[in-house]
Amino acid sequence: MAKIMKKILACALTVGVASTMMISGAMTASAESSTGVGLSAHVLKAYREGWSYVWGGTSYGSVDCSGLIWTYNGVGGIRTDMLAAAPTWGYVSNGIPNIHGLGLHMPGHVGVYVGSGMAVDARNEYYGVVYHNVYNNNWVEWFKVAGVSYPENGWVLLDGESFYYEDGEYIVNTSRTIDGVTYSFDGAGVSNIAPPSDAYQATDYSYATAEPAPEPEPEPEPEPEPEPEPEPEPEPSYEPEPESEPEPEPEPEPEPEAEETSEEPEQEESKIIASYGDEDGKKEKTVKNIQARLYELGYLDEKASGYFGSDTVDAVMLFQNKNGLEVTGIVDEETLNKLNNKNAKANFEKLEPDSYDDGENLPITALQTRLTELKYYFDEITGFYGDITKSSVEQFQKNNGIKATGIADANTLKKIFSSSAKVNPNADNLILGQSGAMVLKMQKRLSELRYLPGVVSEEFSEDVLSAVNLFQRTAGFEESETVTPEQLEVLYAEDAPKSPDYDILQYGFTGDDVAQLQSHLAIIKYYEGKVSGTYTKDVEKAVKKFQSDYKLEATGIADAQTQELIKTESQRESSKVGDSLILKTATVSDNALAGLTETKTDTAQSPGDVIVTNTNNGDMLRTVIILGSVMVFTVFLSVVFIIELRRRRKEDAREVDIGDYYNRKF
């Protein structure tokens, strides 16, 4: 019976494995042309079309999290565990590779990474399909989706933007010369120039295996078949009766028909300027001009690409809605005229400090990106309106004739995104009021050279200006609220001039001389902290106490006089300790000699005996006696150790002998 059961089980396993292989093979076959870029385009389309979330859904417009991926040519492998079917995966905490269309996984949920730090997933019944910053969600792993191919090298096109792959990832923040043309790639990997159309890798942009589902909807159109019924009515108009005499009469009847047929082509052909899928040629700039204007009015987050993609459709629809036009997503003559009108309504809302992007709308990210282009913002693009962003906006407002509030109101935003926005004339300089990493770097160097006491920061404040001016005077430059590139070069040089007050130690300074000061203060018991080489608040407090005790001005700053006095007192204290040690040693030696003298004197009974008397208390005699005593004591300990060692060895040997005896006996 057991053998029969084993055979049945073996057959079942064989059938199961074969079925799995068949299913896997079918899936792979159906997804041979599926790519990461195509998958990204698919999920972005789902987001823009507002697909709903339905648990277990795999049909066009209604999906769950894995269904969103599966509806792109049936890719993903095991729907209940797509991570298990993945050929490659890694942890999001270690960073996500620059690859479009990677899967994202957390316990019980999956999504798709679409590049540029953004992701799409079918969230739940309340949110549906969402588009968000990938790090705003608790994704644990990224993975390559089973059945999807990912590019190794070459150009790809996604959403009208051009990306270039090298060694399996698209490149960012760099430039490349390809076929004699130099391309620049921003932080999102987008090229500033589109390559020839035949340079792009083949990509399956088809959307969803169930996409034919919406096509049957036109089937109900046969219901309005009654329309062809009136067609027989015009038939009499074609009868010989109207043709013979009342020719003028049938003419007015076809006129309305002619008008109807003429109106339709005007809307669909003659009046359409640009629509989804249109792309500018080498000399054409129709789409680019439309995109540039939408960008200026705040409807597009990125500059013109020349390709009328989904993002441009969304922007056009939003513009049409705000400006009272029919919402079609198509730029016709009416839309174009309104778009180019100086009174066109913009899409700007007030942005204020301490606000942040919500993951779907990214106005602050767009603001920071634009300020970076205009050379006002030099920090990381975060989507958070912090102090650095506020300072950058203030500087832009000053240079563009706007009241400097640091708040990006509609007027400021319109100017920032306009083609007339002024590039920062001091872009390569550091100026009073500026913030950011470049200011922090400057402050650290000023602190090293001891122009700037205290804690460094990212703010170019009035206190920092005092240090800057001191440096400028010392280095032979004219004092100013601006630090030029030439001055920065001198500041960062190895032989940069040190502060005239370099030897005056105060809070925030570091160095060996600070460590020496800490040691001296510790010896005279004013300081109990670590000798770290950093002038901390505890050191400042100790110096202030010392100055007060010694009738100096209690500033907490160790000037030359204070340092010299602290050093002198430290040496004096060290000398006292040394003298005390010598006296104690001498006393012990004297007592030992005195005892020896007494002993020798008592035992001396004849003129021939040697009598030792304590007639010389010199340092040499003390030293000889002390060293001799130490040597005798050391020899004594060594002898005791050797004797004890031999004793233990004998005992061990004896135990062995006894053991052997008992072993032999029994």
Side-chain angles (χ1 to χ4, degrees), residues 335-355:
T335 300
L336 184 63
N337 291 335
K338 190 68 176 180
L339 190 64
N340 292 328
N341 192 306
K342 65 178 182 179
N343 296 321
K345 290 183 180 179
N347 187 39
F348 297 121
E349 297 179 1
K350 183 188 291 186
L351 300 177
E352 298 182 284
D354 298 326
S355 59

Side-chain angles (χ1 to χ4, degrees), residues 265-280 284-291 306 308 312 316 320 328-340:
E266 280 179 6
Q267 291 179 352
E268 295 178 1
E269 297 177 7
S270 65
K271 289 190 177 181
I272 292 178
I273 307 301
S275 60
Y276 180 76
D278 288 349
E279 184 174 8
D280 288 339
E284 296 176 357
K285 293 185 179 180
T286 304
V287 177
K288 279 191 174 182
N289 289 337
I290 291 171
Q291 290 174 326
F308 203 118
T312 306
V316 171
Q320 290 170 329
T328 62
I330 297 172
V331 179
D332 54 17
E333 288 182 354
E334 184 181 8
T335 300
L336 184 63
N337 291 335
K338 190 68 176 180
L339 190 64
N340 292 328

